[in-house]
């Protein structure tokens, strides 16, 4: 409420004008949450270029995009979930399940596959694999919404469940590249733009960022994701079905994870149940470094993309600089803690 | 003082409302009538059933028995959404605003407007421009002029400004009844005065308002009639003219009873 008296306005403006530089930075970071990760990325690129000028060669930059594609795609799903103040620890396990389902459905029956349903049309196999991811996402959402369980616990459980089911159903067997139909590996093939070699999977990832960025910014569903993460009670009282929003987010996350499974087959060139166990944590790292708040309701998808690239750039740059893999893990660990600390500080800002 | 029932149809009415929580009785057969264009204050001690009563009307609770009427038509609200559809808007004490979202998004939260044409139907694009323009117009109508930037996040507003956003959201959608739950509880003196002014403005524009408050001077300033709740029942309905603040407190605590013929059950406006 405000009186139309000009006195208060002048006072307010005077007060605004007297903000210190620090407060102004805080305000800017608060308004544009992707700004701090962008600065970190820019600084990292400059440092790594100075350490080793090969860093900026087109081949290396292309390689960085290829290295980012799996975590980058999965991080879209993680962003949606974290925006609702949830967390998804089962992302990696579901992705592995989904890609193993795809590959096992698609291999020819003559190969030593373990499923009696093998030899399907490759496109059907891709579709069913993605559906498998959605079903797993729906299970997460159902358990969280129906029984009011904390997402952390539910997805911790389904992490084990899907890891185990993958080993049980598919006998822990890696399906080698030559057995897999080309359609499943297509996203791993490259094309050239000038000196750059890009994966089709990278293009698909960028398209997905564009689509979900649009959805988050410009649709009611996107707005409701922010509102539910921001204040679930207020959202419920405003007439939003918070349960429906949360369930749909985990379902859509499953869809994204399924697509990431397809990308992974192409990127890796085979379908193995032994994919990087740090995948889950890397997606959370990308989201957090990208300026999305773990408390929900705050963050951007573009920030997550930058965050995913920061992880790869640090990894790639440190290895080009001749440092051990352990330093990459160390650096990412420090970055995560810094990102959360900065987030806490920014949240205190009065923009 | 009139004792006979009025010929005016109440815009909002509750008949013999009962709501229990296990063995705790929240409402024990409450009757309440809100007439068009009036401010009805609901006062009572803690546990008198004020909040439960309001939550029934706002759709947050469904009464165990009894009937509710909007404009003479029987209604059943299972959710806050249904209550809003039925024309009853509630500004909760917690304000129910999403702090990180901007003012326009909050005003339209839960009933966003999509763009016309295929952008809206196929791509589900929100018409942010229209929502912002209409929000700005709505706030101007309410005399909230310092909220110039409609894209400001609500968390950057003062308590009174947030209250204004919450009230504007209710008034924005042509509702018939606005329920305000302790609107001034968290506000300073100046901001409280502005909220009271806004309540009077809304009434002058023809809206009917239920005001829940602990603050007797404020109740006596704006209310047309005062519904005193006690032990899950209606103890009395009086007016600021017929009874003093001390009388109302006495009725609240049971130290005083008012015969039905001395109560103000009919509209005064």
């Amino acid at each position: 409420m405000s009186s139309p008296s000009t006195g208060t306005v002048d006072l307010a403006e005077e007060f605004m004008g007297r903000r210190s530089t620090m407060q102004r930075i805080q305000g800017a970071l608060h308004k544009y949450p992707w700004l701090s990760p962008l600065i970190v990325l820019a600084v990292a690129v400059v440092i790594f270029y100075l350490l080793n000028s090969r860093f900026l060669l087109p081949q290396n930059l292309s390689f960085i995009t290829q290295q980012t594609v799996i975590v980058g795609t999965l991080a879209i799903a993680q962003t949606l979930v974290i925006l609702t103040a949830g967390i998804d620890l089962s992302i990696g396990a579901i992705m592995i399940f989904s890609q193993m389902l795809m590959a096992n459905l698609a291999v020819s029956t003559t190969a030593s596959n373990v499923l009696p349903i093998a030899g399907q049309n490759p496109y059907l196999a891709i579709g069913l694999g993605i559906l498998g991811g959605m079903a797993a996402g729906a299970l997460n959402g159902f358990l969280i919404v129906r029984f009011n369980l904390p997402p952390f616990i539910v997805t911790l459980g389904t992490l084990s469940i899907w890891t185990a089911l993958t080993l049980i159903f598919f006998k822990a067997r890696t399906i080698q590249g030559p057995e897999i139909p080309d359609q499943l590996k297509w996203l791993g093939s490259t094309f050239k733009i000038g000196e750059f070699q890009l994966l089709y999977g990278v293009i698909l990832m960028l398209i997905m960022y564009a689509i979900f960025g649009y959805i988050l910014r410009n649709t009611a569903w996107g707005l409701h994701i922010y509102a539910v993460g921001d204040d679930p009670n207020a959202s419920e009282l405003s007439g939003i079905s918070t349960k429906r929003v949360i369930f749909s987010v985990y379902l859509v996350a499953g869809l994204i994870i399924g697509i990431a499974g397809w990308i992974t087959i192409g990127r890796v060139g085979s379908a193995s149940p032994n994919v990087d166990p740090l995948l889950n944590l890397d997606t959370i790292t990308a989201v957090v470094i990208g300026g999305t708040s773990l408390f929900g309701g705050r963050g951007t998808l573009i920030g997550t993309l930058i965050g995913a690239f920061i992880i790869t750039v640090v990894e790639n740059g440190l290895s080009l600089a001749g440092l051990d893999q352990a330093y990459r893990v160390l650096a990412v660990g420090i970055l995560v803690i810094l990102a959360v600390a900065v987030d806490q500080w920014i949240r205190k800002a009065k923009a | 003082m009139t004792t006979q029932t009025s010929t005016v149809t109440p815009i909002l009415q509750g008949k013999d409302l009962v709501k229990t929580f296990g063995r705790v009785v929240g409402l024990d057969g409450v009757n309440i009538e809100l007439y068009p264009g009036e401010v009805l204050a609901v006062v009572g001690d803690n546990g008198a059933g004020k909040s439960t009563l309001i939550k029934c009307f706002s759709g947050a609770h469904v009464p165990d028995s009894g009937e509710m009427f909007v404009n003479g038509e029987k209604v059943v609200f299972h959710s806050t959404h249904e209550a809003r559809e039925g024309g009853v808007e509630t500004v909760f004490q917690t304000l129910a605003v999403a702090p990180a979202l901007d003012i326009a998004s909050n005003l339209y939260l839960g009933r966003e407007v999509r763009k016309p044409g295929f952008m809206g139907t196929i791509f589900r694009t929100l018409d942010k421009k229209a929502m912002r323009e209409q929000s700005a117009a709505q706030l101007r109508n309410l005399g909230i002029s310092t909220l110039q930037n409609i894209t400001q996040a609500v968390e950057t507003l003062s308590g009174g400004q947030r209250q204004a956003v919450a009230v504007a959201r209710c008034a924005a959608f042509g509702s018939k009844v606005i329920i305000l739950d302790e609107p001034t509880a968290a506000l300073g003196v100046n901001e409280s005065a502005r909220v009271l002014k806004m309540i009077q403005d809304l009434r002058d524009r023809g809206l009917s308002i239920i005001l829940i408050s602990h603050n007797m001077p404020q109740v006596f300033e704006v209310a047309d009639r005062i519904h005193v709740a006690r032990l899950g029942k209606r103890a009395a309905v009086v007016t600021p003219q017929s009874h003093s603040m001390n009388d109302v407190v006495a009725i609240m605590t049971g130290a005083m009873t008012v015969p039905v013929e001395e109560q103000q059950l009919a509209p005064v406006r």
Side-chain angles (χ1 to χ4, degrees), chain A:
Chain A
M1 214 88 4
S2 55
S3 74
S5 81
T6 49
T8 40
V9 178
D10 288 343
L11 274 175
E13 272 169 4
E14 201 178 11
F15 178 66
M16 300 287 270
R18 270 198 207 143
R19 289 196 305 174
S20 67
T21 320
M22 226 34 198
Q23 278 172 319
R24 240 175 260 162
I25 294 171
Q26 197 180 15
L29 294 179
H30 186 267
K31 199 164 180 200
Y32 308 106
W34 44 264
L35 203 58
S36 33
L38 191 65
I39 294 168
V40 171
L41 182 62
V43 169
V45 165
V46 170
I47 290 175
F48 291 131
Y49 175 69
L50 293 177
L51 286 174
N52 187 336
S53 61
R54 273 167 52 212
F55 179 79
L56 280 185
L57 289 181
Q59 296 94 308
N60 191 51
L61 292 181
S62 310
F63 183 55
I64 287 175
T65 65
Q66 295 174 17
Q67 277 187 312
T68 308
V69 70
I70 299 174
V71 167
T73 309
L74 289 173
I76 300 174
Q78 192 68 270
T79 307
L80 296 182
V81 169
I82 289 181
L83 279 177
T84 66
I87 196 148
D88 194 343
L89 300 176
S90 63
I91 275 184
I94 294 175
M95 196 272 282
I96 294 166
F97 172 79
S98 176
Q99 63 147 348
M100 290 309 286
L101 180 60
M102 255 177 232
N104 276 285
L105 285 169
V107 289
S108 64
T109 36
T110 52
S112 58
N113 65 327
V114 290
L115 280 189
I117 48 171
Q120 305 293 330
N121 175 311
Y123 295 109
L124 182 69
I126 293 168
L128 288 174
I130 293 173
L131 265 183
M134 289 178 79
L139 177 68
N140 280 341
F142 173 75
L143 293 171
I144 290 163
V145 166
R146 180 69 182 78
F147 302 109
N148 258 329
L149 300 172
F152 185 93
I153 298 302
V154 167
T155 57
L156 187 64
T158 51
L159 161 67
S160 302
I161 290 172
W162 292 108
T163 306
L165 288 181
T166 305
L167 298 177
I168 293 167
F169 285 160
F170 310 120
K171 305 282 185 279
R173 177 179 165 273
T174 298
I175 297 181
Q176 301 300 336
E179 299 175 57
I180 301 173
D182 286 342
Q183 290 90 335
L184 270 72
K185 296 182 289 188
W186 173 72
L187 288 169
S189 47
T190 57
F191 65 98
K192 279 201 160 209
I193 299 178
E195 294 282 299
F196 292 93
Q197 276 215 316
L198 291 174
L199 293 184
Y200 287 106
V202 171
I203 302 302
L204 179 61
M205 174 184 83
L206 294 177
I207 291 173
M208 285 168 72
Y209 268 96
I211 291 174
F212 282 101
Y214 167 85
I215 289 175
L216 279 179
R217 283 182 61 88
N218 291 307
T219 69
W221 185 67
L223 200 66
H224 291 174
I225 290 175
Y226 280 97
V228 166
D230 196 15
D231 192 332
N233 295 329
S235 307
E236 190 76 49
L237 291 174
S238 301
I240 297 172
S241 170
T242 52
K243 293 192 164 187
R244 197 177 298 171
V245 170
I246 290 175
F247 177 80
S248 63
V249 162
Y250 283 91
L251 182 72
V252 170
L255 168 78
I256 298 166
I257 297 165
I259 295 173
W262 182 22
I263 294 176
T264 305
I265 294 178
R267 163 85 184 110
V268 178
S270 62
S272 161
N274 311 311
V275 177
D276 187 359
L278 287 177
L279 216 48
N280 284 322
L281 297 181
D282 277 351
T283 63
I284 297 170
T285 306
V287 173
V288 170
I289 292 181
T292 295
S293 168
L294 280 174
F295 303 101
R298 230 169 281 255
T300 57
L301 216 45
I302 185 74
T304 298
L305 182 62
I306 298 170
F309 271 110
I310 288 175
I311 297 176
T312 327
V313 161
V314 168
E315 175 173 15
N316 178 284
L318 287 177
S319 86
L320 275 185
L323 283 169
D324 191 76
Q325 160 83 6
Y327 287 94
R328 170 250 160 180
V329 181
L330 180 73
V332 170
I334 293 170
L335 271 179
V336 171
I337 292 172
L338 272 181
V340 176
V342 168
D343 175 52
Q344 290 283 19
W345 178 64
I346 291 171
R347 282 165 72 89
K348 289 185 200 136
K350 292 265 178 229

Side-chain angles (χ1 to χ4, degrees), chain B residues 105-153:
Chain B
S105 302
N106 264 294
L107 280 178
Y108 281 87
L109 195 58
R111 49 190 157 195
E112 290 80 1
V113 178
R114 288 206 291 266
K115 278 191 177 165
F118 73 96
M119 281 305 283
T121 49
I122 298 170
F123 294 107
R124 308 249 146 196
T125 310
L126 294 178
D127 200 342
K128 289 191 172 177
K129 192 159 164 274
M131 289 196 284
R132 280 177 193 155
E133 281 168 2
Q134 285 172 29
S135 304
Q138 186 66 36
L139 290 171
R140 263 199 312 277
N141 281 346
L142 291 171
I144 304 148
S145 53
T146 55
L147 290 180
Q148 282 149 347
N149 186 0
I150 209 79
T151 59
Q152 239 179 315

